[in-house]
Amino acid sequence: MSGSNTNELLRAALNAGRVPSSSGRSTPGNRSSRKATPKSPRSVAASRDVSDNEEDLDDAASMASDDTWVINETSEETAEDVAMENTDNWQDTLQSALDTLGEKRVGTRERGLATVAQVMAHVYVGEAMEGRRLASLESLKKCAKTAKSQIEGMLALRGIALWFINFGVDASANEYTEVKVFLKTLARDKHLSPHVRVMALAALGVASFVSGADYNDAAEVLKFVGDWFIHPDAPRAEDDDDSFEQEESEEEEEELELAPAAVMRQALETYGLLMTVVVDANARVAEKMFDRAFDAHLEALAADSIEVRLAAAQNFALMHSELSRQENGRFEFDRQDELVGTLSAIKHQSSKRHGRRDTHAQRSAVRGVLQTIENGEAPELKLAFRGRSVSFADWPRILRLHAFRAVLGGGINRQFVDNPLLGQVFEVVFDTGADDMGSSEARMVVSPNSTLAKARAVNMRKKREARHSSRALENDDSD
């Protein structure tokens, strides 16, 4: 395979170019608690994907002021992105690519997987390809299990994450559970490359978020991520009444070791994504789980990798903002002064060690986290594309945006419009009307409080409840 083809496949596997950092390791930790203080406004969120100084960014897609952050997704599209969105024969393209996944030549499978990922990222295939739903998942799993190259493994795992974004709302209990167990095994395998383990953790988070029956599913995966990657040295405490089921297996006897920075960063991001589910459903369980991860998050703020630091910082902001909201007042961690002091030191860190661009990105993101923790407020984030915009005014949606954007890459704009899952997750619905998608005139987004948005949110909850009931029946039958 030529060098140019290899580079193209690697970019497809890494999608939007977020290459795992090789610098920095993070160390594990243990506990914290909290105390309540007087009431303040609900916090809003900022994103680390943009900087507060446009001149310090190579990326012209990101713009910011003191009050509003904007990510212009259209300017990040490639020619392939636009071509894929406008093609009329994507079904034939996808079908042909899926047919190559059983070929013997690894290069043929890699090219097929790259095409599968490109189509499933840029086109909502969930309805039109329903007949190939199970077959496509089995093909992707087989490629991931028997991958003969790093690129094949990465592409197959990204394909699995994309499968859940396109089909996962209707996934059965068995489909989800089998994939979950498989992804856990890959993520823990220290003999695999960090790139593959990162993709396994990303796919695990998306699968659980989309197809988990309820917050207990999210909590179980979140505990796995915490115990194996974020605080592996912390005591495995017994869980009480309204916590979640434990997995008993021989994996407890395996050797625990600190994860590479890239894996640690993805573990923190997957942890944050799933915590958005748990903290919304059961604040007490979420707080208890984060108590065990507090020290590890605090130590992650001192990691060499800026990406690890920012992932940890945003998880602190998520927990502070959501627990403040649910208590209808200002929440404080027991060691909040220490946390604020650490974040302040990071914000004022010199650019000599990491470079000016990275330091500015870190400074602006940490400033947003501090605004949330200290004042209960932060800049607004907007995702703008094709004359449309979506506002994100809370940390749960910010972290969910990170996760979906990392998997979908340049395809997120089309998926936002066509895929009902994203409307349900972010509680926005586009008014597509009869206007052309390429119109430069801004479109209105239906309010999350509208009848249509509420109906979609209710529909997603009903599907989760139905899956939960189905799993309960399966468990009864097996007893």
Side-chain angles (χ1 to χ4, degrees):
M1 184 182 296
S2 70
S4 61
N5 286 338
T6 300
N7 289 337
E8 288 174 4
L9 291 171
L10 185 58
R11 280 197 299 273
L14 295 170
N15 86 81
R18 192 177 75 167
V19 181
S21 169
S22 60
S23 64
R25 295 174 66 87
S26 187
T27 53
N30 200 335
R31 297 187 69 84
S32 164
S33 187
R34 55 95 181 197
K35 54 188 177 183
T37 56
K39 186 176 182 178
S40 75
R42 183 179 178 182
S43 60
V44 232
S47 169
R48 68 178 169 86
D49 287 328
V50 291
S51 169
D52 59 336
N53 189 334
E54 289 182 63
E55 295 179 355
D56 295 304
L57 284 178
D58 299 328
D59 180 6
S62 300
M63 301 172 287
S65 69
D66 289 339
D67 301 317
T68 303
W69 300 69
V70 178
I71 301 175
N72 189 338
E73 196 72 35
T74 306
S75 63
E76 296 182 358
E77 291 180 328
T78 65
E80 290 83 1
D81 294 338
V82 176
M84 182 55 63
E85 291 178 16
N86 294 328
T87 186
D88 292 327
N89 64 338
W90 65 264
Q91 292 188 50
D92 293 339
T93 301
L94 179 57
Q95 183 64 60
S96 297
L98 288 169
D99 290 341
T100 68
L101 302 190
E103 295 290 331
K104 292 183 178 180
R105 292 174 61 93
V106 63
T108 303
R109 295 197 304 273
E110 287 175 350
R111 289 188 291 273
L113 286 165
T115 300
V116 169
Q118 187 179 34
V119 175
M120 293 181 72
H122 291 83
V123 182
Y124 170 54
V125 306
E127 295 178 3
M129 295 293 290
E130 176 63 26
R132 284 297 304 266
R133 186 175 70 87
L134 293 179
S136 60
L137 178 60
E138 290 303 315
S139 295
L140 291 167
K141 286 165 57 180
K142 182 177 180 181
C143 286
K145 286 179 180 178
T146 62
K148 301 301 182 183
S149 71
Q150 173 181 275
I151 290 177
E152 182 181 9
M154 294 165 64
L155 286 168
L157 290 167
R158 186 186 174 204
I160 289 173
L162 289 166
W163 186 93
F164 277 93
I165 291 176
N166 281 275
F167 297 109
V169 171
D170 297 318
S172 70
N174 286 336
E175 291 163 6
Y176 164 63
T177 301
E178 288 178 5
V179 171
K180 178 179 69 172
V181 172
F182 165 61
L183 292 175
K184 285 182 178 182
T185 301
L186 291 185
R188 285 199 313 267
D189 190 345
K190 62 186 179 182
H191 301 295
L192 295 175
S193 78
H195 296 310
V196 173
R197 298 175 70 191
V198 162
M199 288 295 180
L201 280 169
L204 177 62
V206 170
S208 176
F209 182 86
V210 175
S211 298
D214 57 18
Y215 84 91
N216 291 301
D217 274 328
E220 182 268 307
V221 177
L222 191 151
K223 183 179 184 299
F224 162 80
V225 173
D227 286 348
W228 284 91
F229 301 98
I230 297 177
H231 49 81
D233 287 349
R236 307 285 177 101
E238 293 293 331
D239 295 288
D240 53 23
D241 49 291
D242 63 343
S243 183
F244 47 88
E245 295 183 4
Q246 300 295 308
E247 287 190 341
E248 301 291 342
S249 71
E250 295 179 357
E251 69 185 19
E252 299 288 341
E253 303 300 325
E254 292 182 13
E255 178 183 359
L256 296 174
E257 65 172 4
L258 301 182
V263 178
M264 182 63 172
R265 181 217 70 215
Q266 184 58 58
L268 288 165
E269 292 184 356
T270 297
Y271 187 98
L273 171 65
L274 298 180
M275 186 59 83
T276 68
V277 176
V278 179
V279 74
D280 182 61
N282 192 323
R284 189 168 78 85
V285 168
E287 185 181 345
K288 180 180 177 182
M289 296 184 75
F290 195 72
D291 278 348
R292 297 189 67 239
F294 185 95
D295 280 359
H297 276 77
L298 196 62
E299 292 174 22
L301 295 178
D304 290 337
S305 166
I306 286 180
E307 291 181 327
V308 169
R309 295 181 197 173
L310 298 186
Q314 290 191 342
N315 286 351
F316 277 120
L318 168 71
M319 295 305 297
H320 191 280
S321 65
E322 288 304 286
L323 292 175
S324 293
R325 176 180 66 84
Q326 298 208 19
E327 293 188 356
N328 201 28
R330 280 290 300 283
F331 169 90
E332 283 194 3
F333 300 107
D334 269 355
R335 296 162 60 191
Q336 181 144 315
D337 289 344
E338 180 183 357
L339 171 60
V340 170
T342 301
L343 290 169
S344 297
I346 293 174
K347 187 179 74 169
H348 296 104
Q349 190 177 57
S350 167
S351 63
K352 293 180 180 179
R353 184 174 183 182
H354 292 286
R356 192 177 178 193
R357 182 178 183 274
D358 287 343
T359 303
H360 273 282
Q362 174 179 261
R363 185 174 301 158
S364 59
V366 171
R367 183 174 61 243
V369 172
L370 281 169
Q371 285 177 331
T372 296
I373 293 175
E374 294 183 302
N375 306 319
E377 58 185 23
E380 178 185 11
L381 172 67
K382 289 185 178 180
L383 180 68
F385 49 84
R386 302 286 181 89
R388 293 167 162 80
S389 68
V390 183
S391 295
F392 300 89
D394 56 72
W395 280 105
R397 293 205 299 168
I398 290 292
L399 298 191
R400 292 171 183 179
L401 174 65
H402 286 334
F404 279 83
R405 196 165 175 249
V407 174
L408 291 168
I412 194 170
N413 55 9
R414 188 77 242 181
Q415 293 278 353
F416 246 114
V417 177
D418 293 339
N419 190 336
L421 171 66
L422 271 69
Q424 295 160 3
V425 168
F426 296 99
E427 298 181 323
V428 293
V429 181
F430 281 105
D431 178 12
T432 54
D435 295 333
D436 192 308
M437 271 289 293
S439 171
S440 61
E441 184 176 344
R443 308 289 182 83
M444 294 297 294
V445 178
V446 179
S447 166
N449 296 320
S450 71
T451 301
L452 182 55
K454 288 180 178 179
R456 289 195 170 185
V458 168
N459 183 51
M460 189 174 187
R461 283 195 296 271
K462 286 182 177 178
K463 287 187 175 182
R464 284 184 179 271
E465 291 169 359
R467 287 198 299 272
H468 182 62
S469 299
S470 173
R471 290 177 196 184
L473 290 173
E474 290 177 3
N475 290 335
D476 290 342
D477 291 340
S478 63
D479 291 340

